[in-house]
Amino acid sequence: MSGRCQLRTRLFSRFARNLAAASAPAPCSCPPSPSFFPEAETASCSTESIDALCRHGFFHEAFDQCLRLRSLKAARRLHSHLRSPLVNPPTTLFNRLIDVYCKCGSLVDARKMFDKMPRRDTCSFNTLMAGYSNAGDLAEARRLFDEIPVRDHFSWSSIISCYTRHNFPTQSLELYRRMLREMAAENSKYSNRFTASSALAASTAVLSLRHGREIHCHIVRAGLESDAVVWSALSDMYAKCGSIKNARQVFDLSYDQDVVSWTAMIGRHFDAGRRMEGLELFRHMLSSCVRPNDFTFAGVLDACSELAVEGLGREVHGHMIRVGSDPSCFAASAVLHMYSKCGNIEKANIFFERMPNPDLVAWTSLISGFAQNGQPRKALHYYELLLESRIRPDHITFVGVLSACVHAGLVDKGIEIFNSIKEKFELRHTTDHYSCVIDLLSRAGRFQKAEEIINEMPMKPDKFLWASLLAGCRIHRNLKLAKRAAESLFELEPENAATYVTLANIYASAGMWDEVEKIRRKMDERGVVKKPGSSWIEVKRKVHVFLVGDDSHPQAKQIYAFLEKLQSKMKEEGYVPDTNFVLHDVEEEQKENNLSYHSEKLAVAFGIIATPPGTSIRVFKNLRICGDCHTAFKFISNITGREIIVRDSNRFHKFKNGDCSCGDYW
């Protein structure tokens, strides 16, 4: 469900914002004069102080006062002094006044000033053009650019970045090419780090690796390769255009590898799905003399959460403690989130209780963690504590709370909380809230109520809602509603194999093999391929991945032999393979054989033989756990005396002494 991803997004949104490129230069090379008027240092930011400064001829100080005040009244007062017959101000002061008017939000006054100026230079055009650009008036900014008699590097930087910022990257690239042509014709040097960075941002926006490489060549020819801003933009372009290898090469060649550049490069690997390489780069950073900051820790902990590698996550947490990281910082919430996503909700709970002032992100992480780790009633308990703390929950918090109701089967409580979102907290219901409540009702078999809510929704149902309804239809074998949900999903995401497989499973459970075959043909016609199920387990800090029927593991023979012994013991204890989870219309013996070597069973078997007796087994799976495997793990946990924790695509299942934390309600 998308709401579950939003929590992670919110945890690290500040991380991305703080890695932005450096700000653009001032539009004018007219520096403010040093202060020679001590009285002004103590004067309040008022029109009186501006009058005093102007009377003594300290106009630049008066401009500084205006900029601090951002007052249109003060700007006009200053303008009146410049119009005095006793004053013959240079063009630089008029340019500064245009800048002040723009920053005070009055482009009308800025334009009047520009039009009445006795003399205008390039800086005059640049300053007003920057004002229009910042206000989003691209047409007027472009008109001014075209009228500039002599363009300098800021003229080009401003107009190129203007188009890039306002989502016209193609025009930015066209202007950059035009600039290069004029440079060649006039033997000039317009290009600087800001024009290059803006052009690279445009290439990134259109995902054009070819254009990016061309700009890279221009950067080298212009001698800008040593600039940190350009190097960062160049690395970002390569990464986002799909060439993480080139991005890494640029990073390795950069002159100034500070914490920001390291953090950015690590994040680029994570964004490209190269999490293990990103984690390895983080290890290199630790071995260098650069100290990670909270943004670095947050990004790495997020990757640990996604890969479910608690061992490395604990190392990162330990390093944060050693460097004295603030326990109230946003990275602390990332620690809590990591433990929760790795199935160690007990550790997450302890960490939360030690936080001096947990914020809403921390509360939400813990509530969602309890919900996904098979402790929904604890999630609801902490929701009540959150309300007592007088921290106002937001829409993401309610996704976690409603998920807890779903996992506990608390239909009435869930409906009550769903209604309170709008009635008590005056928040709008999101599609995630609707998806949760439909999941809640359909799991309980209350399809009439679910249909009523769907029909009354103010927005169009999304794919997560229909998938929740389809999953409920599978539990209760509601063929009619399953068809409606599946048809809606086929329209929204025809390439998603999960819809076809779930519908085929419903037909297979009803013995409707002709319908199953139709779905298979439809998948073939549309080129839809079922995503292979995979499971992985971390043993001695090494991740072992398994596929169904996988025999590539070095200990495959021992794994299969151990599974055969377990199978015999399980059957003695009363285990009966649930062949409803095998789609093929084949003999029962073949169905049982197909079930025996699911990826999660192979991972659990390996975990048992590779770890000391009594060690908890933690397995992670990319798809939803198979119903037969769920039953089998209850038997295996009882036979081996092991706690088996399986995180599938929806939640955690903790098997112990023959029971599962989900209470078989999943």
Side-chain angles (χ1 to χ4, degrees):
M1 190 177 296
S2 63
R4 293 170 187 160
C5 299
Q6 290 179 15
L7 173 60
R8 179 169 61 89
T9 303
R10 185 173 64 178
L11 276 167
F12 308 108
S13 60
R14 282 172 289 179
F15 168 65
R17 288 199 299 270
N18 278 264
L19 297 177
S23 58
C28 180
S29 57
C30 308
S33 302
S35 177
F36 297 106
F37 194 42
E39 299 95 316
E41 298 298 327
T42 56
S44 61
C45 288
S46 63
T47 53
E48 287 78 10
S49 65
I50 288 171
D51 287 338
L53 286 164
C54 289
R55 279 197 302 271
H56 288 78
F58 296 111
F59 289 101
H60 283 297
E61 285 79 4
F63 280 111
D64 292 340
Q65 289 275 33
C66 278
L67 287 173
R68 281 195 291 271
L69 192 59
R70 293 293 171 102
S71 164
L72 184 57
K73 181 181 177 182
R76 286 172 176 166
R77 189 68 163 264
L78 179 55
H79 189 179
S80 68
H81 284 284
L82 291 180
R83 287 199 299 259
S84 169
L86 300 176
V87 177
N88 185 23
T91 302
T92 54
L93 288 183
F94 284 115
N95 292 342
R96 288 209 71 187
L97 186 58
I98 293 172
D99 185 44
V100 169
Y101 274 136
C102 290
K103 288 175 179 174
C104 289
S106 181
L107 282 170
V108 173
D109 284 298
R111 186 66 196 228
K112 286 179 181 177
M113 178 76 261
F114 177 83
D115 291 338
K116 291 179 180 178
M117 285 177 66
R119 295 176 301 280
R120 290 186 294 231
D121 58 13
T122 299
C123 186
S124 311
F125 284 89
N126 288 346
T127 306
L128 186 58
M129 182 175 65
Y132 280 116
S133 172
N134 292 331
D137 191 341
L138 274 70
E140 196 59 40
R142 180 59 185 268
R143 270 193 291 271
L144 279 166
F145 173 80
D146 291 336
E147 292 172 6
I148 299 175
V150 180
R151 300 183 186 93
D152 62 9
H153 66 84
F154 183 83
S155 310
W156 290 102
S157 297
S158 182
I159 197 66
I160 291 170
S161 63
C162 175
Y163 278 105
T164 302
R165 285 200 317 273
H166 293 94
N167 299 318
F168 292 99
T170 304
Q171 287 88 332
S172 292
L173 292 171
E174 289 173 358
L175 282 162
Y176 187 73
R177 291 192 199 96
R178 177 181 162 187
M179 182 195 75
L180 294 175
R181 287 196 299 270
E182 292 192 13
M183 284 170 56
E186 300 173 12
N187 197 24
S188 301
K189 187 178 179 181
Y190 297 134
S191 186
N192 66 1
R193 61 177 181 153
F194 298 106
T195 52
S197 298
S198 296
L200 286 169
S203 295
T204 304
V206 297
L207 298 178
S208 174
L209 189 60
R210 180 175 64 84
H211 286 130
R213 284 181 170 146
E214 287 178 8
I215 296 166
H216 188 177
C217 293
H218 300 149
I219 287 168
V220 173
R221 286 200 293 270
L224 298 171
E225 65 270 23
S226 62
D227 187 89
V229 174
V230 173
W231 225 233
S232 177
L234 191 58
S235 181
D236 193 54
M237 179 278 297
Y238 277 125
K240 289 179 179 174
C241 290
S243 181
I244 194 71
K245 180 181 177 181
N246 287 131
R248 179 63 185 273
Q249 288 172 345
V250 169
F251 172 76
D252 290 339
L253 291 170
S254 62
Y255 295 92
D256 184 20
Q257 294 181 350
D258 59 7
V259 64
V260 175
S261 59
W262 273 100
T263 303
M265 195 64 237
I266 292 168
R268 289 176 189 125
H269 278 82
F270 295 156
D271 292 339
R274 312 273 280 269
R275 293 188 180 91
M276 294 307 296
E277 291 178 39
L279 293 175
E280 186 61 33
L281 187 58
F282 174 67
R283 289 191 178 95
H284 288 318
M285 180 183 183
L286 293 180
S287 63
S288 71
C289 297
V290 179
R291 174 176 167 174
N293 61 19
D294 289 336
F295 300 105
T296 321
F297 289 131
V300 173
L301 286 166
D302 183 35
C304 293
S305 300
E306 292 304 301
L307 292 170
V309 284
E310 186 184 345
L312 180 57
R314 282 199 304 269
E315 286 183 30
V316 176
H317 182 196
H319 197 82
M320 288 174 65
I321 294 170
R322 286 192 294 275
V323 300
S325 182
D326 183 359
S328 299
C329 71
F330 66 92
S333 295
V335 174
L336 194 158
H337 186 68
M338 180 275 297
Y339 282 122
S340 171
K341 290 283 284 183
C342 290
N344 196 340
I345 191 62
E346 295 78 15
K347 182 74 173 178
N349 194 12
I350 292 169
F351 184 78
F352 176 84
E353 295 294 346
R354 291 175 178 172
M355 292 179 75
N357 295 298
D359 60 9
L360 181 59
V361 175
W363 280 98
T364 302
S365 294
L366 187 68
I367 290 168
S368 300
F370 275 125
Q372 293 179 9
N373 279 271
Q375 299 185 45
R377 295 188 185 278
K378 273 199 170 183
L380 294 172
H381 170 68
Y382 274 90
Y383 170 63
E384 296 298 330
L385 292 179
L386 168 64
L387 298 182
E388 290 174 13
S389 73
R390 299 193 177 183
I391 295 177
R392 183 179 175 83
D394 65 5
H395 67 283
I396 301 175
T397 311
F398 283 113
V399 173
V401 177
L402 289 171
S403 295
C405 295
V406 170
H407 295 317
L410 301 173
V411 180
D412 294 335
K413 181 68 174 177
I415 295 294
E416 177 190 329
I417 292 172
F418 177 77
N419 292 332
S420 74
I421 294 172
K422 189 174 182 179
E423 296 170 3
K424 181 178 178 181
F425 297 96
E426 298 179 346
L427 296 172
R428 290 184 179 180
H429 287 128
T430 67
T431 52
D432 292 323
H433 299 152
Y434 279 105
S435 296
C436 285
V437 81
I438 294 304
D439 196 9
L440 177 69
L441 292 167
S442 58
R443 284 171 186 264
R446 293 172 59 172
F447 294 109
Q448 184 177 349
K449 179 66 174 175
E451 284 191 280
E452 288 175 8
I453 290 177
I454 292 172
N455 294 334
E456 293 172 0
M457 284 177 62
M459 73 281 286
K460 191 175 180 180
D462 64 6
K463 61 184 181 180
F464 300 106
L465 184 146
W466 290 120
S468 296
L469 183 62
L470 185 61
C473 290
R474 175 179 175 176
I475 295 169
H476 298 280
R477 300 186 182 183
N478 187 327
L479 282 171
K480 181 182 177 182
L481 202 51
K483 289 179 184 177
R484 179 187 175 188
E487 288 302 324
S488 298
L489 285 168
F490 289 148
E491 290 181 12
L492 290 170
E493 44 176 10
E495 75 289 346
N496 189 348
T499 305
Y500 300 86
V501 173
T502 304
L503 186 60
N505 275 322
I506 295 171
Y507 284 133
S509 298
M512 301 170 66
W513 296 106
D514 290 342
E515 296 298 325
V516 173
E517 187 56 34
K518 286 180 184 177
I519 291 175
R520 288 187 177 284
R521 284 201 299 270
K522 186 182 288 188
M523 290 178 71
D524 291 339
E525 290 167 4
R526 297 180 178 180
V528 178
V529 180
K530 180 185 175 184
K531 186 178 181 180
S534 65
S535 300
W536 61 96
I537 181 172
E538 184 184 5
V539 175
K540 295 179 181 178
R541 299 189 180 180
K542 182 179 178 182
V543 177
H544 301 260
V545 182
F546 296 89
L547 302 175
V548 61
D550 198 345
D551 60 358
S552 62
H553 194 275
Q555 293 176 256
K557 288 184 179 179
Q558 296 149 276
I559 293 169
Y560 279 82
F562 181 70
L563 273 177
E564 286 181 17
K565 290 180 183 178
L566 273 180
Q567 196 85 356
S568 299
K569 290 181 181 179
M570 286 160 57
K571 288 184 176 179
E572 290 174 8
E573 297 285 336
Y575 163 72
V576 177
D578 189 346
T579 56
N580 286 325
F581 291 92
V582 180
L583 280 181
H584 300 284
D585 188 12
V586 296
E587 297 297 326
E588 286 297 309
E589 185 178 348
Q590 181 60 43
K591 286 185 178 183
E592 289 185 23
N593 189 56
N594 290 346
L595 288 170
S596 299
Y597 307 116
H598 278 188
S599 64
E600 55 262 57
K601 284 194 177 89
L602 296 174
V604 166
F606 170 71
I608 294 172
I609 65 175
T611 58
T615 306
S616 293
I617 307 299
R618 295 175 187 269
V619 170
F620 302 87
K621 184 173 171 61
N622 66 331
L623 303 176
R624 196 164 179 260
I625 188 173
C626 154
D628 176 73
C629 289
H630 189 273
T631 302
F633 291 154
K634 289 195 286 185
F635 281 92
I636 294 172
S637 70
N638 199 38
I639 292 169
T640 61
R642 298 287 194 111
E643 180 185 49
I644 300 171
I645 302 168
V646 179
R647 190 189 88 182
D648 67 6
S649 58
N650 286 349
R651 59 173 297 172
F652 281 91
H653 297 267
K654 296 190 178 184
F655 303 91
K656 190 173 183 178
N657 300 326
D659 294 312
C660 180
S661 58
C662 72
D664 295 337
Y665 192 83
W666 58 284

